[in-house]
């Protein structure tokens, strides 16, 4: 059964969502992310994906205080990403209670540093972020496209021990247009041992059912929750039926 991971994206300490990663297309949904996290936990969810969008933009962690509030006020297993560029950033994320971190840009711009983190902290605590636009890996809060193609990029790190990959199809993210199931299937066909977390475009429970049917191990979803497109209790009941 697919693992369900709700998402909280943070700007200025608020719970927001962007469309296609565009900071000019921002919607603020809630003022207190920790309260949102508590609501997810009350429904039975165990995992939470938290993105520091201020951090992604400024290239260093900004909202570690919000992360600490979430991890100290809930028992959720939080994976945290956005702005992790240095050893100090990584240590700050873990010190603030993150169980896992999602790192993308550094894996492109400084592979040796990422490999060092993988060796030091272990594959269970590291999620490789693979944000894709037009088949290429995008970095720095989706502001730049690299020359890296998705599958060879993943292979390099899977061979080095990576087990968890969060793959976001940027053109789908925040659009409620449905997930890029074909893309995720390509990844799973190439690397069936991978714990792939699909992200971007989820608009309904039916989308999640389709991802599950396609054999995708996990899914992150956010906007569909905040826009009322998904009934979380019904989704939880479906997963646990």
């Amino acid at each position: 059964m697919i693992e369900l991971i709700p998402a909280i994206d943070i700007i200025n300490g608020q719970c927001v969502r962007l469309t296609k990663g565009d900071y000019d297309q921002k919607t603020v949904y809630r003022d207190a992310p920790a309260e949102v996290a508590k609501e997810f936990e009350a429904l039975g969810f165990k995992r939470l994906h938290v993105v520091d969008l201020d951090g992604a933009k400024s290239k260093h962690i900004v909202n570690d205080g919000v992360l600490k509030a979430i991890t100290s006020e809930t028992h959720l297993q939080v994976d945290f990403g956005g702005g992790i560029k240095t050893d100090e950033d990584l240590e700050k994320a873990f010190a603030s209670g993150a169980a896992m971190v999602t790192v993308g840009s550094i894996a492109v711009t400084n592979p040796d540093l990422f490999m060092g983190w993988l060796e030091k902290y272990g594959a269970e605590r590291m999620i490789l972020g693979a944000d894709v636009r037009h088949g290429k890996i995008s970095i720095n809060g989706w502001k730049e496209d690299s020359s890296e193609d998705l599958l060879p990029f993943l292979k390099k790190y899977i061979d080095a021990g990576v087990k968890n990959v969060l793959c976001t199809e940027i053109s789908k993210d925040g659009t409620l247009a449905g997930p890029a199931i074909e893309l995720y299937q390509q990844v799973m066909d190439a690397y069936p041992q991978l714990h792939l977390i699909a992200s971007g475009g989820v608009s309904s429970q039916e989308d999640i059912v389709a991802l599950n049917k396609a054999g995708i191990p996990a899914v992150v979803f956010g906007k569909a929750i905040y826009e009322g497109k998904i009934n979380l209790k019904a989704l939880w009941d479906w997963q646990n039926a």
Side-chain angles (χ1 to χ4, degrees), residues 144-202:
E144 303 172 41
D145 291 332
S146 75
S147 60
E148 297 265 11
D149 291 312
L150 175 61
L151 292 183
F153 173 76
L154 294 181
K155 184 179 190 306
K156 175 171 59 179
Y157 288 113
I158 292 169
D159 288 347
V162 162
K163 298 177 181 178
N164 303 291
V165 170
L166 174 71
C167 186
T168 303
E169 169 51 76
I170 295 170
S171 69
K172 297 277 192 178
D173 192 72
T175 65
L176 301 174
I181 294 177
E182 285 187 14
L183 175 71
Y184 305 132
Q185 284 180 315
Q186 287 174 14
V187 173
M188 292 306 300
D189 287 345
Y191 312 114
Q193 77 277 24
L194 191 64
H195 187 77
L196 178 66
I197 307 165
S199 172
V202 171

Side-chain angles (χ1 to χ4, degrees), residues 14 32-33 37 44 49 82 118 144 148 166 178 186 218-219 238:
Q14 298 175 306
H49 177 62
L118 188 64
E144 303 172 41
E148 297 265 11
L166 174 71
Q186 287 174 14
V219 59
W238 163 76

Side-chain angles (χ1 to χ4, degrees), residues 16 19 28 69 87 92 98 109 111 134 162 165 177 181 195 209 214 217 234 237:
V16 308
T19 299
V28 177
D87 291 331
K92 186 181 287 188
T109 61
H134 309 308
V162 162
V165 170
I181 294 177
H195 187 77
V209 171
D237 290 345

Side-chain angles (χ1 to χ4, degrees), residues 60-131:
H60 62 86
I61 289 179
V62 174
N63 287 291
D64 51 302
V66 178
L67 171 62
K68 193 165 187 175
I70 291 171
T71 59
S72 62
E73 294 176 32
T74 75
H75 293 96
L76 292 165
Q77 183 185 46
V78 177
D79 77 75
F80 178 83
I84 298 174
K85 307 292 186 187
T86 64
D87 291 331
E88 182 183 11
D89 288 322
L90 192 60
E91 289 162 8
K92 186 181 287 188
F94 285 136
S96 298
M100 310 169 80
V101 293
T102 300
V103 178
S105 298
I106 285 297
V108 175
T109 61
N110 194 339
D112 290 342
L113 182 59
F114 181 81
M115 292 289 196
W117 291 347
L118 188 64
E119 184 175 347
K120 180 177 180 180
Y121 294 99
E124 299 305 325
R125 301 194 77 187
M126 302 294 295
I127 300 172
L128 175 62
D131 300 330

